[in-house]
């Protein structure tokens, strides 16, 4: 049995959370590939490291002094390193980041450093190999994820690697510039899925701060039940309509490989969570799996005599909207 385990920002926000994550990983031999996000919020009014990095880079780009925010980011990592009693220095990395910010390396490079640095900390904490995602995850010249190139590079790399930490959220451009490119926000979920596919694992565990997918939005419905099993198709439908536990693109790399995804709660690891599968072999408990919705739609009514028999009418209407 081989697993990829991805941990979200709230699961890695401080040393205490890191320890929970360490316990989870060490409790099963099969948890061989680890994909971390950047440190998230430690309390509700806190700021995610990714957001600090964007803000810091905006200042650098505007030619303003960005040392205050960079120091704040650095202290977030050292708080974790000290709390875990690790003998790890990130001085060299921060010197490089500062120089790259001054050289206008781009805001995607800036944002990616949260995962990059957290990956370094995680690898040191677990004693796992660190694989820089820039070397194995690729984007084409239009900025789209290049699955073919990535599959070749990553599968080969993982073949030689028993246990590794591969940071989430970013990769690099294929065009020789090696420019860093990120997925959209929350994209470490997608990295987890890509690593699962290329590591040929049996299960992709996605660890977060909730015990799985809920039947409805808890801000609207009090105490909704958890969905125990859901198909990729149903999940895609729910994510597309606004349910937001998992990045909506994260099912594609694993689906064709038949690798299930299990959503698990770092703060309650015993909870069964939600298992996402191609098809279920048991009869579902309910006719409806879940409910999600989006606001801000408009409805347009079109009336015209005989439009049902006019060939091309639907196309013309859609062209106007297009
Ligand atoms: N750190 C990135 C974000 O905040 C990516 C991720 O967490 O998946 O969006």
């Amino acid at each position: 049995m081989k697993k990829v385990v991805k941990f979200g920002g709230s699961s890695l926000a401080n040393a205490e959370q890191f320890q929970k994550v360490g316990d989870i990983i060490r409790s099963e031999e099969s948890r061989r590939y680890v994909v971390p996000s950047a440190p998230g919020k430690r309390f509700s009014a806190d700021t995610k490291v990714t957001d600090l990095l964007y803000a810091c880079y905006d200042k650098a780009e505007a030619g303003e002094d960005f040392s205050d925010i960079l120091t704040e980011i650095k202290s977030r990592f050292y708080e974790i390193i000290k709390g875990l009693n690790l003998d790890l220095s990130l001085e060299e990395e921060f010197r490089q980041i500062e120089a790259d910010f001054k050289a206008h390396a781009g805001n995607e490079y800036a944002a990616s450093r949260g995962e990059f640095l957290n990956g370094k900390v995680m690898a040191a904490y677990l004693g796992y190999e660190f694989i820089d995602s820039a070397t194995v995850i690729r984007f084409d010249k239009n900025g789209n994820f290049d699955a073919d190139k990535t599959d070749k590079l990553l599968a080969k790399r993982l073949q030689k690697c028993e246990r590794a930490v591969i940071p989430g959220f970013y990769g690099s451009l294929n065009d020789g510039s090696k420019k860093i490119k990120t997925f959209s926000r929350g994209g470490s979920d997608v990295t987890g899925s890509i690593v699962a596919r290329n590591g040929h694992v049996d299960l992709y565990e996605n660890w977060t701060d909730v015990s799985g997918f809920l039947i409805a939005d808890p801000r609207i419905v009090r105490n909704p039940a958890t969905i125990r099993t859901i198909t990729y198709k149903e999940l895609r439908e729910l994510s597309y309509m606004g349910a937001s536990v998992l990045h909506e693109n994260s099912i594609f790399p694993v689906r064709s490989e038949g690798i299930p995804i299990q959503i698990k709660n770092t703060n309650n690891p015993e909870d069964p969570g939600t298992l996402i599968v191609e098809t279920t072999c048991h009869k579902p408990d309910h006719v409806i799996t879940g409910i999600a919705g989006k606001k801000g739609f408009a409805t347009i009514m079109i009336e015209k005599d005989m439009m049902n028999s006019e060939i091309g009418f639907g196309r013309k209407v859609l062209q106007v909207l297009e």
Side-chain angles (χ1 to χ4, degrees), residues 6-9 36-39 48-51 54 111 114-115 168-169 183-190 247:
K6 180 262 166 180
F7 291 90
S37 282
K48 289 175 164 195
V49 164
T50 308
D51 292 318
Y54 280 123
E115 271 72 12
F169 194 35
F183 292 107
S184 55
R185 295 297 304 261
S188 298
D189 285 340
V190 184
H247 190 291

Side-chain angles (χ1 to χ4, degrees), residues 271-298:
D271 283 355
T274 300
L275 188 67
I276 308 160
V277 292
E278 182 63 42
T279 47
T280 55
C281 52
H282 63 264
K283 194 174 173 297
D285 295 337
H286 310 284
V287 176
I288 293 170
T289 304
I291 300 171
K294 265 185 185 172
K295 289 184 180 164
F297 281 92

